[in-house]
Coordinates of all heavy atoms in Angstrom, one line a residue:
P59 N 91.8 30.6 33.0 CA 91.2 30.2 31.7 C 92.3 30.1 30.6 O 93.2 30.9 30.5 CB 90.2 31.3 31.4 CG 90.7 32.5 32.3 CD 91.3 31.9 33.5
G60 N 92.1 29.1 29.7 CA 93.0 29.0 28.6 C 92.2 29.4 27.3 O 91.3 30.2 27.4
G61 N 92.7 29.0 26.2 CA 92.0 29.3 24.9 C 92.5 30.6 24.3 O 93.6 31.0 24.6
D62 N 91.7 31.1 23.5 CA 92.1 32.3 22.7 C 92.1 33.6 23.5 O 91.1 34.0 24.1 CB 91.0 32.5 21.6 CG 91.3 33.7 20.7 OD1 92.5 34.1 20.6 OD2 90.3 34.3 20.2
P63 N 93.3 34.3 23.6 CA 93.3 35.5 24.4 C 92.4 36.6 24.0 O 91.8 37.3 24.8 CB 94.8 35.9 24.2 CG 95.5 34.7 23.8 CD 94.6 33.9 23.0
E64 N 92.1 36.6 22.7 CA 91.2 37.7 22.2 C 89.8 37.5 22.7 O 89.1 38.4 23.1 CB 91.2 37.7 20.7 CG 90.4 38.9 20.1 CD 90.9 40.2 20.5 OE1 92.1 40.4 20.7 OE2 90.1 41.2 20.6
T65 N 89.3 36.2 22.9 CA 88.0 35.9 23.4 C 88.0 36.4 24.9 O 87.0 37.0 25.3 CB 87.7 34.4 23.3 OG1 87.7 34.0 21.9 CG2 86.4 34.1 23.9
L66 N 89.0 36.0 25.7 CA 89.0 36.4 27.1 C 89.1 38.0 27.2 O 88.4 38.6 28.0 CB 90.2 35.8 27.8 CG 90.5 36.2 29.2 CD1 89.2 35.8 30.1 CD2 91.7 35.5 29.8
R67 N 89.9 38.6 26.3 CA 90.0 40.1 26.3 C 88.6 40.7 26.1 O 88.2 41.6 26.8 CB 91.0 40.5 25.3 CG 91.4 41.9 25.4 CD 92.4 42.3 24.3 NE 93.7 41.6 24.5 CZ 94.3 40.8 23.6 NH1 93.7 40.6 22.5 NH2 95.4 40.3 23.9
K68 N 87.8 40.2 25.1 CA 86.5 40.7 24.8 C 85.5 40.4 26.0 O 84.7 41.3 26.3 CB 85.9 40.1 23.6 CG 86.7 40.6 22.3 CD 86.1 40.0 21.0 CE 86.8 40.5 19.8 NZ 86.3 39.8 18.6
Q69 N 85.7 39.3 26.6 CA 84.8 39.0 27.8 C 85.1 40.0 28.9 O 84.2 40.5 29.6 CB 85.1 37.5 28.3 CG 84.3 37.1 29.5 CD 84.7 35.8 30.1 OE1 85.5 35.0 29.4 NE2 84.3 35.4 31.3
I70 N 86.4 40.3 29.2 CA 86.7 41.2 30.2 C 86.1 42.6 29.9 O 85.5 43.3 30.7 CB 88.2 41.3 30.4 CG1 88.7 40.0 31.0 CG2 88.6 42.5 31.2 CD1 90.3 39.9 31.0
E71 N 86.3 43.1 28.6 CA 85.9 44.4 28.2 C 84.4 44.5 28.3 O 83.9 45.7 28.4 CB 86.4 44.7 26.8 CG 87.9 44.9 26.8 CD 88.5 45.0 25.3 OE1 87.7 44.6 24.4 OE2 89.6 45.3 25.2
A72 N 83.7 43.4 28.2 CA 82.2 43.5 28.2 C 81.7 43.4 29.7 O 80.5 43.6 29.9 CB 81.6 42.3 27.4
G73 N 82.6 43.3 30.6 CA 82.2 43.1 32.0 C 81.8 44.5 32.7 O 81.9 45.5 32.0
P74 N 81.5 44.4 33.9 CA 81.1 45.7 34.7 C 82.3 46.6 34.8 O 83.4 46.2 34.8 CB 80.6 45.2 36.0 CG 81.2 43.8 36.2 CD 81.4 43.2 34.8
D75 N 82.0 47.9 35.1 CA 83.1 48.9 35.2 C 83.6 48.9 36.7 O 83.6 49.9 37.4 CB 82.6 50.3 34.9 CG 82.4 50.4 33.4 OD1 83.0 49.7 32.6 OD2 81.5 51.3 33.0
N76 N 84.1 47.7 37.1 CA 84.7 47.5 38.4 C 85.5 46.3 38.4 O 85.7 45.7 37.3 CB 83.6 47.4 39.5 CG 82.5 46.4 39.3 OD1 82.9 45.2 39.0 ND2 81.3 46.8 39.3
I77 N 86.1 45.9 39.5 CA 87.0 44.7 39.5 C 86.4 43.4 39.1 O 87.1 42.5 38.7 CB 87.7 44.6 40.8 CG1 86.8 44.2 42.0 CG2 88.6 45.8 41.2 CD1 87.4 43.8 43.3
W78 N 85.1 43.3 39.1 CA 84.4 42.1 38.8 C 84.5 41.8 37.3 O 84.2 40.6 36.8 CB 83.0 42.0 39.2 CG 82.9 42.3 40.7 CD1 82.0 43.2 41.3 CD2 83.7 41.8 41.8 NE1 82.2 43.2 42.6 CE2 83.2 42.4 43.0 CE3 84.7 40.9 41.9 CZ2 83.7 42.1 44.2 CZ3 85.3 40.6 43.1 CH2 84.8 41.2 44.3
R79 N 85.0 42.7 36.4 CA 85.2 42.4 35.0 C 86.4 41.3 34.9 O 86.5 40.6 33.9 CB 85.5 43.6 34.2 CG 86.8 44.3 34.6 CD 86.9 45.8 34.2 NE 87.1 45.9 32.7 CZ 86.3 46.6 31.9 NH1 85.1 47.0 32.4 NH2 86.5 46.7 30.7
Y80 N 87.2 41.3 36.0 CA 88.3 40.3 36.0 C 88.0 39.1 36.9 O 88.9 38.3 37.3 CB 89.5 41.0 36.6 CG 89.9 42.3 35.8 CD1 89.7 43.5 36.5 CD2 90.3 42.3 34.5 CE1 90.0 44.7 35.8 CE2 90.6 43.4 33.9 CZ 90.4 44.7 34.5 OH 90.7 45.8 33.9
A81 N 86.7 38.8 37.1 CA 86.3 37.7 38.0 C 86.9 36.4 37.5 O 87.3 35.5 38.4 CB 84.8 37.6 38.1
P82 N 87.1 36.1 36.2 CA 87.7 34.8 35.8 C 89.1 34.7 36.2 O 89.7 33.6 36.1 CB 87.6 34.9 34.3 CG 86.5 35.8 34.0 CD 86.6 36.9 35.0
L83 N 89.7 35.7 36.8 CA 91.1 35.7 37.2 C 91.3 35.9 38.7 O 92.4 36.0 39.2 CB 92.0 36.8 36.5 CG 91.8 36.9 35.0 CD1 92.6 38.0 34.4 CD2 92.1 35.6 34.3
L84 N 90.2 35.8 39.4 CA 90.2 36.2 40.9 C 89.5 35.0 41.7 O 88.7 34.3 41.2 CB 89.4 37.5 41.1 CG 90.0 38.7 40.5 CD1 89.0 39.9 40.6 CD2 91.4 39.1 41.1
P85 N 89.9 35.0 43.0 CA 89.3 33.9 43.8 C 87.9 34.3 44.3 O 87.7 34.5 45.5 CB 90.3 33.8 45.0 CG 90.8 35.2 45.1 CD 90.9 35.8 43.7
V86 N 87.0 34.4 43.4 CA 85.6 34.8 43.7 C 84.6 33.9 43.0 O 85.0 33.4 41.9 CB 85.3 36.3 43.4 CG1 86.2 37.2 44.3 CG2 85.6 36.6 41.9
P87 N 83.4 33.7 43.4 CA 82.4 32.9 42.7 C 82.0 33.6 41.4 O 82.2 34.8 41.2 CB 81.2 32.8 43.7 CG 81.4 34.0 44.6 CD 82.9 34.2 44.7
A88 N 81.5 32.8 40.5 CA 81.2 33.3 39.1 C 80.1 34.4 39.2 O 80.0 35.3 38.4 CB 80.8 32.2 38.2
D89 N 79.2 34.3 40.2 CA 78.1 35.2 40.3 C 78.4 36.4 41.2 O 77.5 37.0 41.8 CB 76.8 34.5 40.8 CG 77.0 33.9 42.2 OD1 78.1 33.8 42.7 OD2 75.9 33.5 42.8
V90 N 79.7 36.7 41.4 CA 80.1 37.7 42.4 C 79.4 39.1 42.1 O 79.1 39.8 43.1 CB 81.6 37.8 42.4 CG1 82.2 38.3 41.1 CG2 82.1 38.8 43.5
A91 N 79.2 39.4 40.9 CA 78.7 40.7 40.5 C 77.3 40.9 41.0 O 76.8 42.1 41.1 CB 78.8 41.0 39.0
S92 N 76.6 39.8 41.3 CA 75.2 39.9 41.8 C 75.1 40.0 43.3 O 74.0 40.2 43.8 CB 74.4 38.7 41.3 OG 74.8 37.5 41.9
K93 N 76.2 39.9 44.0 CA 76.1 40.0 45.5 C 76.4 41.4 46.0 O 77.0 42.2 45.3 CB 77.2 39.0 46.0 CG 77.0 37.6 45.6 CD 78.2 36.7 46.1 CE 78.0 35.3 45.7 NZ 76.8 34.6 46.4
P94 N 75.8 41.7 47.2 CA 76.0 43.0 47.7 C 77.5 43.2 48.1 O 78.0 42.6 49.0 CB 75.1 43.1 49.0 CG 74.9 41.7 49.3 CD 74.9 40.9 48.0
N95 N 78.1 44.2 47.4 CA 79.6 44.5 47.7 C 79.8 45.9 47.3 O 78.9 46.5 46.7 CB 80.5 43.5 46.8 CG 81.9 43.4 47.4 OD1 82.6 44.4 47.6 ND2 82.3 42.2 47.6

Side-chain angles (χ1 to χ4, degrees):
D62 177 30
E64 187 59 30
T65 300
L66 178 57
R67 195 178 291 122
K68 289 179 179 178
Q69 178 185 348
I70 290 170
E71 291 172 347
D75 290 334
N76 53 52
I77 63 172
W78 306 135
R79 68 199 286 117
Y80 308 109
L83 312 180
L84 297 170
V86 295
D89 62 347
V90 62
S92 67
K93 298 177 181 294
N95 203 304

